[in-house]
Every structure is written in C-alpha cells, then in structure tokens.
Amino acid sequence: MKTAKRRFAFPGLFRRHFSPMPVTLSSMTHRSRIGLLADVTNGRFFRGQVSWDASGIITALEETPESISDVLITPPLVNAHVHVESSMLVPSRFGPPCLACGVGATVSDPHEIANVLGVAGVEFMIENAKLTPLRIHFGAPSCVPATNATFETAGAEIDAQAIDRLMQKPEIHYLAEVMNFPGVLAGDPGLMAKIDSAKRVGKRIDGHAPGLRGEDARRYAANGITTDHECFTLEEALDKLECGMKILIREGSAAKNFEALWSIVNSHPNLAMLCSDDLHPDEILSGNIDALCRRLLAKGCKLLDVLRAACANPVIHYGLDLGLLRVGDKADFVVWSDDKLSGALETVLAGEAVWRKGDSLDGVPPCSTPNRFNAAPISLSALRVSAKRLGEPIIEVVDQQIVTKRMNAELLTQGGEVLCDRERDIVKLVVVNRYDPNAEPSVCFVKNTGIKRGAISSSVAHDSHNVIACGADDASLVAVINATIAATGAIGCVVNNRTEVLSLPVAGLMSDQSATKVGELYRKLSDTAKKECGSTLTAPYMTLSFLALLVIPKLKLSDKGLFDVAKFGFVSNR
C-alpha cells in the first residue's frame, strides 16, 4: 500500500538550494533525523537526512527529496555573551531553559562570581556546569575588580598571574570582556599582561567599550580585542566594524540594543552575533536567542543570515565545541516546528536528545552554596543625608539602558536633612558594603525609577555586588536592606508592611533552586515592585543592579560614594 505524500512546508527554500550530491563519510550510521537541513556554512537548505554513529559524530548528510518530514533542522543557537549569574541560576539550573529554546552553547563570562569569590568562584562555575549538557564556554574575567579599592569594595582580585594560570585551563576559552578600555589606551602594565596571556595561548579577547569611537576605538582593537557587545547606536557599531571588531547585538533584561543594531545582520551577516549579556530568570523562561531570531525574521532578514549570526559566527570565531551540521562534526542540532523558528521540538547534542518539547526544566539536584557575605544590619540614622550636600548632582535612570544621565535639581530639605521628593520621582539610592560590617552606607538620590512607596533591594549589584537598594522612605529602605543582609544575599521588596525576598545563597548572586521556581519568585517580586511600589521601569531589579557599575556612564553609586564616570572619580568623598 502506498503512503500518501505530505505537502512539504518549505518548497521554495528547497527548490532554491537543492543539490543532488549527497555528502557522506561512512555508511555505518546508527541514528538519523530527516527534515529540511540548514547547511549554514555553505549557505543552502536541502531536504535530507542527518545520520550519526554511536560516538555522536555525523557520518552522513544525504539528500532525500521524497522525505515527508515538515521540520527544520539547524545547528544549535549560541548565546555569544552572557553572565550566567545574572539569571540568578547556577549553571546546572541555567542549562535546561536554554536547551528548551534551542540554545546549545554559550560564551559565558563568570565575572560576577569572580568579583565575590575570585578564582574559586570561576572554578565553582566550571564544576557546576558539568551537571548540564548545555556547553558553557567560560572565559577568564579580565577586570576583577572592575575598578580599584579606591573607588569601591570588591570581594576578590584576579591579577595577571591568576589570569595566566586560568588561561592554561582547557575549560577557559577566552579572555572575557576587557572593560577597562582607558587602561588599554594608556597601556596599563597589569592589564596588558592579561591580554598577553591570552595571546600566548591563542585564545580570543572580548571587548567592552561603550561609546568608544574613532582613533581610540582603533587603538583599542589593535591590541587584539575582537568583539564588542556594548554598542548602543548603529553609527558606533559600524565604526567598530571598520576597526576589525565583530559586533554582538545585545538584548538583555536592562540593556536593549536590538532595535538600534539589528540591520547589521543584513549588512554584515558574517560579522554579527547575538547575545543577552544579562538576562533575569523570568525572561530566560519565555525566550532566549530564539526570540531574537524570530524578531530578525520579522524584520525581513534572511533565515540563512539569521542562522549565521545565531549559530555559525560564534562557533567559528571562538572555536566553540559545537557542531554546525557538517560531516565529521558532533551531531549537535535543533529540530524546529517551522522555518520561523516558532518553537524547538528537540535539542540534540552529540547525538543524544537533551531536551524534547514538554520536558521538565527541573530535576537537577541542589549544589553547594559558596558565599562571602559579612555585612551588618543598618539603622535609620545611617541613611540621613545632610543638607550640606545640596548641590550634588543626582542620577537620572534611562529605562532599558545601563547608561545613566547626570542632572541637577532642587531637593527638598527639612531640619537640615535632604528628603525624597516622590512627587517629582526623586528617591534615595543606597549601597551597603557587603564585605565590611563596619562600613557606613553610601547614599545619593535618583530620578525616574517611578517608586512612590516602599523599597527594593538586591545583592546583585555590578560589579562588586555590594547590597544596593532604592526606596521612597528610610524605614522601608532599612527594612529591605536588613532583610537582604539576613538572607546573606537576596533580592527583596518591602511595601505595605510586607517583606518579600528571593534568597540567593550562592555568592549572594544565584539560587540553587530550579529555573521554574526562581522565575516564579522573581516575577512575583518584579510585579510587586511595579504594581505596589509604583516602579515604571521595564526591569526594576536589573536596572537597580547596574546603578553601581562604575565603568558605564554617567553617574553611578559605589559603597564609597557618588561616582562621575567621565572624570573617573567621585563627585564628592564621604
């Protein structure tokens, strides 16, 4: 009895790219899948079968024009720059939601935990990542601490000698983002020694230079720095492409640059990659690099160009351990329901299905919880701001960006004290040293958070990860900060006499709970911050976490005071 043929879902693609010649390594294959195959490196699609042997290596790619399968098979997607810690999930918990989105590998900078625990934190990430099939390619954090002890208190330092040792590890694949671009331009000896360590072993060097243009950008790139994920205008990105750098189009929870940069996938498809940088747990459950691919397709980008940026370019640039659907590669691929990448049906790594539609995102056992947290509870008097500080600028938040603006404003005073002005959306921002129980809190004022009631806090505060909080009244600020300290790391909210926290016992940055549970708790806190505290920010906690990042313009707050990034010094010392 003949089987009725089904109508193939991609006839146009098939006709344009059909080639009758099969590609074969061996006829001794054990497993196979059929569908429309994406041969990204050769720029074609063909209707066929991928086969692999018992060791998980592709042995044949054969064209099967009569196949009745309607699925699209592509190489796995790659998140080309991400901090796993920002998901608030340990690597073993971070893996499942990535695999569910068709992401098979990441290029991951363990910079956050390194600022808390140093090399021991990097080693924890490497070991914990072995519990997930997701291929997490770690880098050696180049800027720990991000600045120096004069400006902020971090938990650790990774010097040039430590970088040299890390670079010898096979689990370390590149030198992570060199964010101290003034140090590169000035030829700082310690920083240049770190760059030389990467060059000696032939590993890539990642960049981080927001706003750098012209001759300075060329000098920066000339030191062997090959990428940048911090461009927030198309003009800046094109300038850096001219310098020989590849551009990572970033769309995270706070920094959203997709709309400004997406056209690079059309104009420079071989020089673009996709990344999230920092992605909070609620968003990692609802979409990843696959969501950016769908947005690119909706913009009219060609599917092959999208797959170049999302799959091939990072694998080729970094030399990642990930197959590209070629004979001799590992059998790594994703089966999609259609050519719009609407949903992953199956993610296969080394010939094994590591995720299928409907699989649970849980099931990984709890892990150890290393930490470094030594803060002491604070009192109301510690948050008092003397009227003598009138005239200091305030931080103006820019929603969906990690840059801020500097502004001057007449502030309310009473009894010699500067007060919040909720009517004008000006509230207090506080940073508490988590490593020294005797340190006094640092306090300034911030505009455009939308907070009118209560306070929110986080022990995720880039890059030193002291406790940061923002609130409309001192009592709420004290309560939420002390709740975060009591948990030895958390994100929290105090509003309407109610305290809620999501504990982060791993370095004060990550939970050991499942992605589903952490995502649920995070979403609840984020909703409370918006609906009850009144925050108008798209991602209140992610934005809060970047208000202490001293290497991103213009004004930021460290545990030691209000910091002017342009002059790279304090507005005033406390």
Side-chain angles (χ1 to χ4, degrees):
M1 184 176 71
K2 291 184 177 181
T3 303
K5 292 182 180 179
R6 292 169 58 193
R7 181 176 174 272
F8 189 67
F10 313 95
L13 288 173
F14 174 65
R15 284 195 298 269
R16 284 197 299 274
H17 299 282
F18 174 73
S19 170
M21 297 299 295
V23 184
T24 307
L25 182 68
S26 166
S27 60
M28 297 298 290
T29 58
H30 294 259
R31 301 178 186 178
S32 64
R33 293 285 190 282
I34 57 173
L36 184 74
L37 303 183
D39 182 2
V40 181
T41 51
N42 290 311
R44 68 178 189 137
F45 293 93
F46 64 93
R47 193 173 173 183
Q49 175 175 279
V50 53
S51 302
W52 61 94
D53 62 20
S55 64
I57 302 297
I58 293 177
T59 55
L61 295 168
E62 299 175 292
E63 305 225 4
T64 56
E66 300 306 313
S67 166
I68 61 172
S69 175
D70 288 344
V71 299
L72 172 67
I73 300 175
T74 74
L77 307 181
V78 179
N79 192 331
H81 176 77
V82 63
H83 302 281
V84 172
E85 304 97 307
S86 291
S87 71
M88 300 183 187
L89 304 169
V90 292
S92 57
R93 299 290 200 179
F94 177 78
C98 292
L99 297 169
C101 293
V103 174
T106 66
V107 180
S108 300
D109 178 6
H111 174 89
E112 314 306 343
I113 196 169
N115 270 281
V116 177
L117 298 173
V119 171
V122 177
E123 292 172 341
F124 166 82
M125 298 295 278
I126 290 171
E127 288 304 308
N128 187 260
K130 293 176 181 177
L131 299 176
T132 175
L134 177 71
R135 301 206 186 119
I136 304 178
H137 298 81
F138 289 109
S142 66
C143 297
V144 177
T147 57
N148 60 58
T150 302
F151 300 137
E152 61 185 326
T153 306
E157 178 182 1
I158 297 181
D159 60 15
Q161 290 73 31
I163 288 291
D164 204 47
R165 291 191 294 272
L166 282 171
M167 279 294 161
Q168 308 308 312
K169 290 179 175 287
E171 300 94 344
I172 296 295
H173 297 267
Y174 68 107
L175 183 65
E177 51 185 318
V178 182
M179 62 179 66
N180 183 7
F181 63 83
V184 174
L185 298 178
D188 176 84
L191 183 56
M192 300 313 293
K194 295 176 182 180
I195 290 173
D196 288 343
S197 289
K199 290 179 178 178
R200 279 195 299 274
V201 293
K203 293 181 180 179
R204 294 289 193 179
I205 304 168
D206 261 11
H208 170 122
L212 200 65
R213 301 282 302 274
E215 183 58 29
D216 283 346
R218 277 178 274 283
R219 288 175 55 211
Y220 180 72
N223 285 279
I225 298 168
T226 56
T227 66
D228 196 283
H229 60 274
E230 290 288 344
C231 296
F232 46 87
T233 68
L234 181 60
E235 293 73 23
E236 179 187 350
L238 293 174
D239 196 20
K240 285 174 176 168
L241 285 168
E242 287 293 321
C243 297
M245 302 176 78
K246 294 182 173 68
I247 299 301
L248 279 60
I249 300 172
R250 173 179 62 184
E251 191 79 350
S253 293
K256 298 182 181 292
N257 309 124
F258 176 90
E259 288 298 331
L261 304 179
W262 70 267
S263 63
I264 292 172
V265 173
N266 279 341
S267 62
H268 299 79
N270 293 323
L271 300 176
M273 303 182 219
L274 306 179
C275 76
S276 64
D277 199 356
D278 295 284
L279 198 64
H280 265 188
D282 60 332
E283 293 195 70
I284 201 171
L285 291 170
S286 58
N288 201 298
I289 300 303
D290 60 323
L292 296 188
C293 291
R294 289 190 287 272
R295 289 175 65 180
L296 286 168
L297 292 173
K299 293 285 190 183
C301 294
K302 297 176 183 177
L303 179 57
L304 270 171
D305 288 343
V306 172
L307 293 176
R308 284 189 182 96
C311 306
N313 292 348
V315 170
I316 294 167
H317 178 77
Y318 291 100
L320 303 183
D321 175 26
L322 193 71
L324 289 176
L325 269 183
R326 300 173 297 195
V327 171
D329 281 0
K330 287 183 179 178
D332 301 331
F333 58 86
V334 180
V335 181
W336 303 91
S337 59
D338 57 35
D339 62 344
K340 302 300 181 186
L341 306 182
S342 300
L345 302 176
E346 184 178 46
T347 299
V348 175
L349 295 178
E352 297 295 330
V354 294
W355 182 85
R356 288 191 176 98
K357 187 175 181 180
D359 282 358
S360 170
L361 301 182
D362 306 333
V364 180
C367 66
S368 62
T369 55
N371 206 346
R372 182 171 292 156
F373 209 102
N374 196 30
I378 67 166
S379 63
L380 279 171
S381 61
L383 302 186
R384 184 177 184 274
V385 177
S386 170
K388 294 178 181 179
R389 290 178 57 189
L390 282 173
E392 284 186 3
I394 66 175
I395 298 172
E396 183 177 355
V397 173
V398 181
D399 192 24
Q400 298 190 10
Q401 298 294 336
I402 60 177
V403 296
T404 65
K405 295 180 180 179
R406 175 191 179 117
M407 69 173 293
N408 295 301
E410 291 292 327
L411 299 178
L412 295 177
T413 61
Q414 180 179 320
E417 183 177 352
V418 187
L419 305 177
C420 295
D421 189 343
R422 292 185 287 271
E423 293 301 315
R424 290 193 294 156
D425 197 5
I426 298 173
V427 295
K428 279 185 179 177
L429 182 69
V430 182
V431 175
V432 178
N433 186 324
R434 71 132 90 173
Y435 307 103
D436 180 0
N438 299 312
E440 289 293 316
S442 180
V443 186
C444 73
F445 288 87
V446 62
K447 182 175 174 59
N448 285 353
T449 67
I451 292 176
K452 297 190 179 303
R453 296 168 296 281
I456 63 173
S457 69
S458 176
S459 57
V460 179
H462 305 282
D463 276 329
S464 294
H465 300 295
N466 291 298
V467 176
I468 190 166
C470 182
D473 66 90
D474 288 359
S476 295
L477 279 164
V478 168
V480 78
I481 288 169
N482 287 344
T484 301
I485 291 171
T488 62
I491 62 169
C493 181
V494 167
V495 66
N496 299 326
N497 297 315
R498 188 177 77 254
T499 301
E500 297 176 4
V501 295
L502 165 56
S503 295
L504 303 173
V506 182
L509 301 173
M510 294 171 282
S511 171
D512 60 347
Q513 297 187 77
S514 72
T516 304
K517 183 64 174 177
V518 174
E520 174 189 329
L521 293 172
Y522 176 82
R523 189 178 296 112
K524 182 180 178 184
L525 278 165
S526 185
D527 287 346
T528 301
K530 294 177 183 180
K531 296 174 182 177
E532 297 189 48
C533 295
S535 178
T536 53
L537 297 171
T538 304
Y541 287 99
M542 183 65 83
T543 301
L544 178 67
S545 73
F546 281 107
L547 293 180
L549 183 53
L550 306 190
V551 295
I552 299 290
K554 287 185 177 179
L555 285 184
K556 296 296 170 77
L557 183 68
S558 83
D559 64 296
K560 296 189 176 183
L562 185 59
F563 193 80
D564 185 329
V565 181
K567 75 173 189 179
F568 221 71
F570 292 113
V571 169
S572 64
N573 289 309
R574 298 198 62 206

